[in-house]
Amino acid sequence: MDKPGQTVSATEFAALTGVSRERLRTWERRHGYPVPVRSHGGPRRYEVAEVTRVVGIRRAVEAGIPVTVAIEAESSEPADIGSGVAAGLAEHAPLSIVSLSGPEPLIVRSVNAVVAARPDAPQPGDDLLELAPWFADDPGYATLRRLFTDDLMAAPCTHPDWTGGLRPGAQSLAYCLPHELGHQPLVALIGIDTSRERRTRKLLQDAEAELTRVRAELERDRGFAAAAGAVAEIFRTQAGASTLADATTVLVRRLGAVDAGLAPMMGGALVLGRSSRGLLGPDLVTVARFDDLSDALREGDPTWMPQSVAAAFGAPAGLELLAVPLHAAGQGLGAVLMLFDEREVLTEAGLRLLRVSAGTIALALVRERVAGELQDPGR
């Protein structure tokens, strides 16, 4: 039970009532309630005994009742907890209400209609820890023990979901109820975590997950853009056969690939020399043997290859192979083959940037072939 006149800080009071410190000050300024306790100009403190009233006002306001009306309604003397009126209000309240005796054993003493409507809900007389043994290690159980044994009067409390098969995750405001000397103390759990709030929280979690996914995609796309720019810079400033090897090395570094290699098309086969880090090739792979590879080269789209294709190029087991076709002037010239630790979703922006890099490499490949033919016309 709370001691007469016991106070808590404004921050604690806001946490107990669900009303922000700013809103409490607004109510005080406009409606004269709640009045904080201040000693010698010190910080605001509020009486614990006012928690129940402020929570009632907050709920009324959330239901659309004007603040002034809600404060006046809550100013009347509270009904005795055992009276028929109070019991009727609890029974038909739209929120879950459960009373417990304890702390050991933790026995369900009453449930209201919202809780009783569920076939798997606890019943009066049930031992809560027998129904949900995991709750003994939950922070909410420690909160309940404090309510039964310490001077704490009210606190937010996690507990089993009465209407969800006693799974973890529900929240209530827990109140130590008034009781006569010699009678067992009771704690009432009044639900604040409604199904609507759970749905809202789930939507928020989904939105946060989607935001994380989008940020990851943007980060990958930045990597593709940086790789495309770096490849273009190589061919702008360098010449000679080494530029192709340098370009694949840049792709490995910029895209976080494990390895990469250039495989020109020769007589219906991709001819892969040594890759940048030696994990691929050397191999000659007939394209017609693999439908996925043949389709990717024909359509010109970067495509994740099945393990059979990866193995044909000598890729170690467990790594994923991405084939990036090389096209120039409508002619298929081969592919850049890249190894990754795992597959990633290729966004449209990422695909475009890979095509840009591939186009730059394809033009360089054409340039090298033309240069070779000019040097050796009979080749």
Side-chain angles (χ1 to χ4, degrees), residues 339-359:
L339 277 180
F340 291 86
D341 286 320
E342 59 184 5
R343 295 191 180 196
E344 294 182 349
V345 176
L346 296 174
T347 65
E348 189 58 39
L351 288 171
R352 286 197 300 269
L353 290 166
L354 280 174
R355 293 189 193 106
V356 169
S357 298

Side-chain angles (χ1 to χ4, degrees), residues 73-80:
E74 288 291 331
S75 65
S76 58
E77 286 296 318
D80 179 74

Side-chain angles (χ1 to χ4, degrees), residues 28-354:
E28 177 193 354
R29 185 174 64 254
R30 295 180 180 177
H31 309 288
Y33 182 83
V35 179
V37 178
R38 306 185 74 168
S39 176
H40 305 294
R44 280 179 164 82
R45 297 184 67 83
Y46 293 88
E47 292 187 4
V48 174
E50 294 298 313
V51 168
T52 303
R53 183 181 176 192
V54 171
V55 170
I57 294 170
R58 192 204 78 205
R59 291 191 181 281
V61 171
E62 289 172 350
I65 297 174
V67 177
T68 302
V69 176
I71 290 175
E72 290 177 354
E74 288 291 331
S75 65
S76 58
E77 286 296 318
D80 179 74
I81 196 68
S83 72
V85 173
L89 289 173
E91 175 65 17
H92 300 292
L95 300 172
S96 64
I97 300 179
V98 173
S99 66
L100 303 169
S101 63
E104 293 180 2
L106 196 58
I107 302 298
V108 176
R109 292 303 175 188
S110 67
V111 299
N112 73 341
V114 169
V115 178
R118 295 287 296 191
D120 54 359
Q123 301 297 318
D126 286 343
D127 186 326
L128 187 57
L129 292 182
E130 288 184 0
L131 296 177
W134 58 265
F135 186 53
D137 298 320
D138 189 88
Y141 180 57
T143 300
L144 289 177
R145 289 183 62 87
R146 289 186 61 202
L147 286 163
F148 280 117
T149 60
D150 296 345
D151 291 332
L152 186 64
M153 188 202 83
C157 179
T158 57
H159 60 81
D161 188 344
W162 314 126
T163 58
L166 296 178
R167 294 187 297 270
Q171 286 189 328
S172 288
L173 281 178
Y175 296 93
C176 191
L177 299 177
H179 66 283
E180 296 179 4
L181 187 64
H183 288 251
Q184 193 171 29
L186 296 176
V187 167
L189 296 173
I190 302 177
I192 57 174
D193 194 19
T194 64
S195 58
R196 176 184 296 178
E197 289 169 325
R198 285 193 291 273
R199 287 195 300 270
T200 301
R201 188 165 59 249
K202 178 63 165 58
L203 289 173
L204 180 60
Q205 291 171 346
D206 291 345
E208 290 174 344
E210 178 66 11
L211 179 59
T212 299
R213 184 190 66 78
V214 170
R215 284 174 173 166
E217 286 186 355
L218 288 174
E219 191 62 31
R220 287 196 296 271
D221 290 347
R222 289 192 189 99
F224 288 137
V231 168
E233 182 65 14
I234 286 176
F235 292 116
R236 188 183 71 82
T237 58
Q238 299 181 27
S242 65
T243 56
L244 292 171
D246 291 344
T248 56
T249 300
V250 164
L251 289 175
V252 169
R253 186 174 67 252
R254 294 282 187 171
L255 299 182
V258 176
D259 199 2
L262 179 63
M265 179 76 78
M266 295 183 181
L270 289 179
V271 181
L272 175 66
R274 297 296 295 179
S275 57
S276 295
R277 296 178 179 173
L279 297 179
L280 291 170
D283 283 291
L284 184 150
V285 176
T286 302
V287 173
R289 287 175 51 200
F290 302 99
D291 291 340
D292 294 276
L293 181 59
S294 180
D295 292 343
L297 294 177
R298 182 177 62 255
E299 296 170 5
D301 288 327
T303 306
W304 291 105
M305 292 290 106
Q307 285 297 315
S308 57
V309 176
F313 286 104
L319 296 180
E320 300 290 345
L321 182 69
L322 179 67
V324 183
L326 301 176
H327 281 213
Q331 180 182 3
L333 301 178
V336 174
L337 304 174
M338 291 189 287
L339 277 180
F340 291 86
D341 286 320
E342 59 184 5
R343 295 191 180 196
E344 294 182 349
V345 176
L346 296 174
T347 65
E348 189 58 39
L351 288 171
R352 286 197 300 269
L353 290 166
L354 280 174

